[in-house]
Amino acid sequence: VLVMCPDIEDYAPLISATFGLADDDGDETRHPGHRLRVRLADRSLRQTNPLLAIVAALLELADARVTASQVLDLAASTPVRRRFRFSDDDLERLRGWVASSGIRWGLDGEHRAPFGLSSIPQNTWRTGLDRILLGAAMAEDGLRWIDKALPLDDVDSSDIDLAGRLAELVNRLAITLDDLTGEHPLAHWLDALGTGMARLADVTETDAWLQAQAQRELAQVADDAGDRVHTIKLTLADVRALLADRLRGRPTRANFRTGELTMCSMVPMRSVPHRVVCLLGLDDGRFPRTASVD
């Protein structure tokens, strides 16, 4: 059975939730849909390679508000968790600290300048981290302020290492985002993204191929640009559009007709015949496609 849809990424989460995508463990109590063997083809690189997902996240954060939820989501991603040794309990502790210290958005007052709020450093990551790190040294009793920071009372002596790792994550993120501003040649952007990925993410020895693939993709972008990689200056929006096209899903030569229920993108006359061919998501905004030349 082949299920074809115009945009596999739109339906991938729904397919995963419906079918489970898990191996059949013989449990007869499971829903029949979870006992089907389902495979997703043509996924985008940012979905199959978590390091490239980090690159995409950095491009999104570069001109964003850098909210508490965005940074916590980044910290919860597998490569970042491995780099900073965050466990499930650590992440839960960090969420509590972020809420208690009043962190909402912005790295610091200067980071809020484009939004016209440079004079208001309250509720930024800088102010919140000051409270968390001071809380490792002194209690909140008696409202003992240090400059404009009130120590957070919820930081125990056993939490000092975790507080340091959180501060290190935010510091590395701030340095990386600072490199992703302004107009620069493509070589600068690719170098900043590669360096930022190395600063924030790590993989196991078994998954070392993910790092090689991510570096190869960035190098291929530079190769395709040729001599222009050092001459033509690009903005963040240009680079984001360039890499979005690079990281989107592509038709693969994956084995079809394997006895599994295969979900894939729509490529004309692909892998036909199947006993059953289903079409999913044929709304007027997606199908038929209108080919246009830029």
Side-chain angles (χ1 to χ4, degrees):
V1 178
L2 183 74
V3 180
M4 307 175 78
C5 54
D7 191 342
I8 191 68
E9 297 304 336
D10 283 351
Y11 288 91
L14 304 176
I15 293 166
S16 300
T18 304
F19 295 99
L21 300 185
D23 294 332
D24 186 6
D25 56 6
D27 184 2
E28 295 298 328
T29 63
R30 294 173 60 191
H31 188 279
H34 287 193
R35 295 199 295 269
L36 289 170
R37 291 186 299 156
V38 182
R39 67 182 297 274
L40 283 164
D42 305 337
R43 299 299 305 277
S44 68
L45 288 174
R46 63 183 295 177
Q47 298 296 334
T48 58
N49 188 327
L51 292 179
L52 289 172
I54 298 297
V55 170
L58 291 175
L59 288 173
E60 291 300 320
L61 287 170
D63 61 352
R65 287 155 53 99
V66 189
T67 63
S69 59
Q70 286 176 319
V71 177
L72 289 174
D73 287 345
L74 182 68
S77 63
T78 302
V80 178
R81 287 185 61 168
R82 179 170 177 79
R83 167 67 71 190
F84 295 94
R85 309 187 312 281
F86 291 145
S87 65
D88 290 340
D89 291 340
D90 290 340
L91 291 172
E92 193 62 35
R93 193 86 171 117
L94 295 181
R95 292 187 189 98
W97 285 350
V98 167
S100 300
S101 62
I103 297 172
R104 296 295 181 265
W105 68 277
L107 293 171
D108 51 27
E110 184 181 351
H111 181 253
R112 284 180 165 183
F115 304 94
L117 296 171
S118 59
S119 61
I120 305 177
Q122 288 77 18
N123 301 111
T124 62
W125 278 97
R126 173 65 181 271
T127 303
L129 282 174
D130 284 347
R131 292 199 62 193
I132 293 170
L133 296 175
L134 280 173
M138 56 192 299
E140 191 177 357
D141 300 339
L143 298 179
R144 290 179 290 183
W145 295 79
I146 305 296
D147 193 18
K148 295 181 180 180
L150 179 68
L152 185 66
D153 203 29
D154 193 28
V155 184
D156 302 325
S157 58
S158 59
D159 294 324
I160 294 175
D161 180 62
L162 177 59
R165 281 180 277 146
L166 173 62
E168 181 69 15
L169 166 61
V170 175
N171 181 58
R172 293 187 182 196
L173 177 62
I175 293 172
T176 300
L177 296 184
D178 188 54
D179 290 338
L180 298 176
T181 57
E183 288 190 10
H184 306 281
L186 179 59
H188 169 91
W189 291 102
L190 296 177
D191 181 64
L193 289 170
T195 303
M197 180 180 67
R199 283 192 192 112
L200 297 169
D202 193 15
V203 293
T204 63
E205 291 185 8
T206 306
D207 292 332
W209 66 271
L210 294 172
Q211 202 164 32
Q213 183 190 44
Q215 293 169 345
R216 187 167 60 249
E217 287 297 325
L218 294 178
Q220 187 62 50
V221 174
D223 290 343
D224 291 346
D227 295 337
R228 294 169 295 176
V229 72
H230 296 290
T231 56
I232 298 180
K233 291 189 176 183
L234 304 177
T235 64
L236 174 64
D238 298 327
V239 177
R240 189 182 288 155
L242 176 65
L243 290 184
D245 183 65
R246 190 87 194 178
L247 299 180
R248 71 162 49 108
R250 308 168 189 163
T252 62
R253 297 181 180 179
N255 244 349
F256 289 82
R257 296 178 61 86
T258 58
E260 298 177 335
L261 179 67
T262 303
M263 310 280 186
C264 66
S265 58
M266 296 183 68
V267 176
M269 297 304 294
R270 172 191 198 156
S271 305
V272 175
H274 275 76
R275 291 186 64 186
V276 178
V277 178
C278 305
L279 301 179
L280 179 66
L282 299 189
D283 54 296
D284 59 354
R286 292 290 186 181
F287 183 86
R289 294 175 178 174
T290 56
S292 58
V293 179
D294 188 350

